[in-house]
């Protein structure tokens, strides 16, 4: 009996030990599974992202960093405190039409991908963030590479590359709610959810969002509705994800900007878009209510990541984007004069006694689809090789409809065509194919010394029917643009880890980029002008840097020299729908230094700062005077390229209470490439005045305050409440603008003048930023 009891006790103890061991093993397995699933999902951007051994300048932003500033503003605003970034906002408060410039280069030169799949519009080369409302709420991480960066898919990178990884499907289920609200009736509501991993292999994750704002400028309203949904299957060495998201937007136009003269009459928030009439005192009092931009963009991605061994893995992604929408706008005699068009554009009589106002829609209907793929070999010692590429196809139609016309309009086409509702007055079709292959190798040939080689071939085929927005054009449907470009983009560099804390690097790369649709439109409209002929660009980019990293302090310096041939540079002018125009400049460069530092002397305090000092110049700037003669102005500053950008962030984090003080200084920006800081004008009394041709330097400060706590008794993982104070000291500055002064020879001295209207009216416009404003925010996670 005693032996039996001893045996049973031993069995029980053994079982208990086995259970304990089993529990421990299951915990370890769960942790390993979590890491494995995350690694499988993040393989999708491995081929296009830089690492600590890649000799390029880059900044990473984690999900936590993004969420700490994501209260409704678009992605450019969330990146605005990273090095060398300036941001624009038509509405003045970061919601609606926004864009980012990197090192002074415009948005069409920033390559943007999500999960390695290109997002840039094929014809404008721009990402319209307004079509991707609240996308940042579905992003796991971002990496912005400055300069030519590493080879990627899609549009050529001439200023930067922004790689975004969409949110991972987590192992555990959750539901979360984010709510923000504040000045200018701005608000954001986001519902987030995830199932965790079901049946050991499946997961579902998503988001529903609504963002709205009346904007700082008059009537600059924004309505954004969007969702994000992904489903995934996960095996031991494979992950397959289907991802879809959409954006539905309606924004009131605010892209005319306003002259300083108009602002002096009607206030800083004056928005001339949709203006229909004035009162007896000459004040604007009637606006067209449907002066709106309307667009629906639907994205689909199917991604397969496969791990074959410790050394080999691959990624394949299929994608399709459907875009459809229109601009609706009032067309009046005043707008015809402003943009140099006539009623004949719409197939109507040019007789001013019979032509009245009309409203038209300029529409788009396009499809973008393709595939990207990469294979990675890493021997886990000193060699990594990546081979990849992509094929993408764009098919698009652009066409215009007359929505309504005032009674009495006489048409030059048989009745009742132009007066028939929804009369189509122009249509053109375009097709674009983008194919690229690349190979990258990173080899540590001596301990701590890493060599990097990156070779890319890119082919672009672009066919475009006459893009002139006018009646009677393109009747034979022929392709007036049929271009093929073949680019070879080599990059190489070296990284030297001097010690665990110190490293230096250097790289040299060449990039090319094709012209965009607007460049060809200008070329066709001005066939006799050599300065509007659209050519491909070439960039030679040299980067040299140093990094120091320790537990409490980190710092870095990056020197860059970006030397261009035929750079397509912003001219300062806008077209009829507010798009910034560019033209080729033969020789130009951007030379600068980027400094970064972060210091954490205490567990609850961190200090981050970055500074960019740069010199941005065009050589031999040739301009045409009003008398038709050409003059060489020599070396002049490039437009929209500040010589100084400084960001400073103080962060305090103590027992759930977090405070952040964020400051930014941006130096003067020229509105043209002529070097003129002002133009000579005449006021209403006939007196001479001098009006600015600069976006003047400014300094702004934001303060973010929040408190996080948990309510486990009620199943609440965490609650965060807070408030953000933007532009705390109400700095009055302009974030964007345009200028098109006339240039004259005054006794041998070239000067800029405005001969069109009073003061700067008709020759310059500015986009004011909002003064002090507030957003309160609440986030709850279950």
């Amino acid at each position: 009996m005693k032996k039996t009891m001893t045996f049973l006790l031993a069995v029980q103890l053994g079982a208990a030990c086995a259970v304990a061991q089993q529990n421990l093993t299951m915990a370890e397995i769960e942790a390993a599974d979590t890491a494995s699933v995350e690694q499988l999902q993040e393989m999708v951007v491995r081929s296009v992202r830089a690492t600590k051994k890649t000799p390029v300048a880059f900044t990473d932003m984690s999900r936590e960093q993004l969420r700490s500033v994501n209260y409704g503003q678009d992605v450019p605003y969330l990146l605005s405190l990273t090095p060398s970034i300036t941001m624009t906002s038509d509405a003045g408060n970061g919601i609606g039409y926004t864009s980012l410039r990197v090192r002074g280069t415009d948005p069409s030169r920033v390559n943007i991908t999500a999960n390695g799949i290109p997002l840039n519009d094929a014809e404008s080369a721009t990402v319209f963030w307004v079509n991707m409302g609240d996308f940042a709420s579905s992003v796991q991480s971002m990496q912005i590479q400055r300069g030519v960066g590493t080879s990627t898919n899609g549009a050529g990178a001439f200023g930067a590359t922004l790689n975004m990884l969409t949110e991972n499907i987590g192992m555990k289920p959750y539901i979360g709610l984010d709510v923000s609200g504040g000045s200018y009736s701005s608000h954001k509501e986001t519902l987030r959810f995830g199932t965790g991993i079901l049946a050991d292999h499946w997961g579902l994750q998503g988001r529903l969002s609504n963002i709205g704002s009346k904007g700082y400028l008059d009537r600059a309203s924004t309505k954004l509705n969007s969702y994000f949904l992904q489903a995934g299957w996960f095996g031991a060495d494979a992950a397959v994800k289907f991802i879809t998201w959409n954006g539905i937007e309606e924004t009131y136009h605010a892209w005319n900007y306003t002259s300083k003269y108009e602002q002096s009459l009607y206030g800083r928030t004056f928005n001339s878009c949709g203006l229909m009439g004035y009162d007896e005192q000459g004040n604007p009092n009637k606006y067209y209510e449907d002066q709106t931009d309307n667009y629906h963009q639907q994205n689909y991605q199917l991604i397969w990541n496969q791990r074959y061994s410790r050394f080999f893995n691959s990624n394949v992604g299929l994608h399709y984007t459907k875009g459809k929408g229109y601009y609706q706008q009032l067309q009046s005699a005043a707008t015809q004069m402003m943009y140099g068009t006539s009623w004949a554009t719409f197939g109507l009589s040019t007789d001013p006694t019979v032509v009245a106002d009309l409203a038209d829609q300029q529409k788009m209907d396009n499809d973008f689809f393709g595939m990207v793929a990469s294979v990675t070999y890493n021997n886990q010692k000193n060699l990594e090789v990546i081979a990849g590429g992509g094929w993408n196809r764009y098919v698009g139609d652009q066409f215009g409809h007359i929505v309504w016309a005032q009674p009495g309009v006489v048409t030059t086409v048989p009745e009742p065509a132009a007066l028939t509702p929804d009369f189509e007055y122009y249509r053109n079709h375009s097709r674009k194919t983008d194919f690229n292959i690349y190979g990258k190798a990173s080899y540590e040939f001596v301990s701590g010394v890493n060599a990097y080689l990156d070779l890319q071939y890119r082919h672009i085929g672009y066919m475009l029917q006459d893009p002139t927005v006018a009646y009677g054009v393109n009747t034979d449907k022929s392709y007036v643009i049929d271009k093929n470009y073949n680019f070879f983009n080599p990059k190489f560099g070296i990284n030297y880890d001097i010690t665990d804390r110190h490293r230096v690097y250097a790289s040299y790369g060449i990039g090319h980029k094709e012209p965009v649709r607007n460049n060809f439109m200008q070329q066709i409209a001005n066939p006799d002008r050599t300065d509007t002929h659209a050519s491909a660009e070439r960039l030679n980019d040299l980067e040299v840097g140093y990094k120091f990293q320790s537990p409490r302090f980190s710092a870095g310096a990056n020197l860059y020299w970006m030397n261009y041939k035929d750079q397509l540079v912003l001219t300062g002018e806008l077209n009829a729908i507010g798009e910034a125009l560019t033209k080729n400049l033969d020789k130009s460069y951007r030379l600068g230094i980027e400094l970064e530092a972060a210091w954490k002397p205490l567990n609850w305090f961190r200090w981050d700062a970055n500074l960019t000092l740069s010199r941005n110049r065009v050589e031999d700037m040739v301009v045409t005077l009003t008398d038709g003669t050409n003059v060489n102005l020599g070396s002049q500053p490039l437009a929209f390229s500040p010589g100084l950008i400084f960001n400073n962030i103080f962060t305090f984090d103590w027992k759930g209470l977090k405070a952040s003080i964020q400051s930014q200084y941006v130096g003067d920006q020229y509105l043209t490439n002529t070097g003129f800081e002002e133009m000579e004008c005449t006021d209403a009394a006939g007196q001479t005045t001098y009006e600015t041709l600069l976006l003047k330097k400014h300094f702004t400060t934001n303060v973010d305050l929040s408190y996080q706590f948990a309510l486990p008794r009620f199943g609440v993982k965490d609650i965060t409440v807070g408030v953000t104070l933007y532009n705390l000291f109400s700095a009055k500055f302009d974030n964007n603008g345009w200028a098109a002064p006339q240039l004259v020879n005054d006794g041998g001295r070239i000067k800029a003048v405005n001969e069109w209207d009073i003061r700067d009216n008709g020759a310059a416009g500015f986009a004011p930023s909002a003064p002090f404003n507030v957003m309160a925010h609440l986030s709850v996670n279950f």
Side-chain angles (χ1 to χ4, degrees), residues 67 113 127 195 255 341 365 388 415 486 523 536 565 601 636 773:
R67 286 186 175 175
T113 60
V127 169
T195 63
W255 52 46
T341 57
D365 188 351
E415 292 287 343
N486 294 283
Q523 175 180 304
K565 172 64 176 174
Q636 298 296 339
N773 61 100

Side-chain angles (χ1 to χ4, degrees), residues 459-464 481-485 520 523 533-534:
H459 169 81
I460 301 98
Y462 189 26
M463 299 180 66
L464 173 64
I481 300 298
D482 188 354
K483 296 285 188 178
N484 287 280
Y485 301 92
F520 291 118
Q523 175 180 304
H533 181 76

Side-chain angles (χ1 to χ4, degrees), residues 575-650:
N575 66 12
I577 55 173
E579 295 174 322
L581 299 180
T582 62
K583 72 175 183 179
N584 290 110
L585 296 181
D586 183 30
K587 294 182 292 184
S588 58
Y589 68 87
R590 302 179 190 275
L591 175 67
I593 183 171
E594 297 162 329
L595 303 173
E596 299 178 76
W599 182 39
K600 192 173 183 180
L602 302 167
N603 291 334
W604 51 268
F605 173 67
R606 179 183 170 102
W607 181 9
D608 293 88
N610 61 74
L611 170 71
T612 300
L613 298 169
S614 63
R615 179 178 174 85
N616 311 282
R617 291 291 186 273
V618 53
E619 302 291 347
D620 299 320
M621 181 62 195
V622 177
V623 297
T624 302
L625 307 184
T626 54
D627 62 6
T629 60
N630 292 329
V631 177
N632 190 326
L633 299 179
S635 177
Q636 298 296 339
L638 287 170
F640 302 100
S641 302
L644 173 60
I645 303 174
F646 174 67
N647 297 303
N648 189 86
I649 306 172
F650 294 124

Side-chain angles (χ1 to χ4, degrees), residues 671-688:
L671 289 176
T672 71
N673 299 295
T674 62
F676 290 108
E677 296 185 4
E678 60 184 14
M679 59 183 166
E680 184 178 291
C681 307
T682 304
D683 65 14
Q687 301 297 312
T688 299

Side-chain angles (χ1 to χ4, degrees), residues 483-560:
K483 296 285 188 178
N484 287 280
Y485 301 92
N486 294 283
F487 299 140
F488 176 56
N489 301 317
K491 309 172 186 73
F492 58 89
I494 192 165
N495 179 84
Y496 176 30
D497 291 329
I498 304 171
T499 69
D500 290 341
R501 296 187 175 186
H502 300 268
R503 78 178 181 101
V504 293
Y505 63 85
S507 66
Y508 181 78
I510 297 175
H512 295 83
K513 194 173 189 308
E514 72 280 9
V516 299
R517 180 187 181 93
N518 278 340
N519 300 127
F520 291 118
M521 290 180 69
Q522 294 177 77
Q523 175 180 304
I524 292 168
N526 305 281
D528 299 326
R529 287 179 53 181
T530 58
D531 64 334
T532 60
H533 181 76
S535 300
E537 309 169 87
R538 175 187 171 102
L539 166 63
N540 298 270
D541 181 25
L542 175 65
E543 309 270 339
V544 179
Y546 163 77
K547 294 283 187 180
F548 171 80
Q549 184 77 46
S550 72
R552 291 288 185 179
F553 179 74
S554 63
N558 185 77
L559 292 164
Y560 64 88

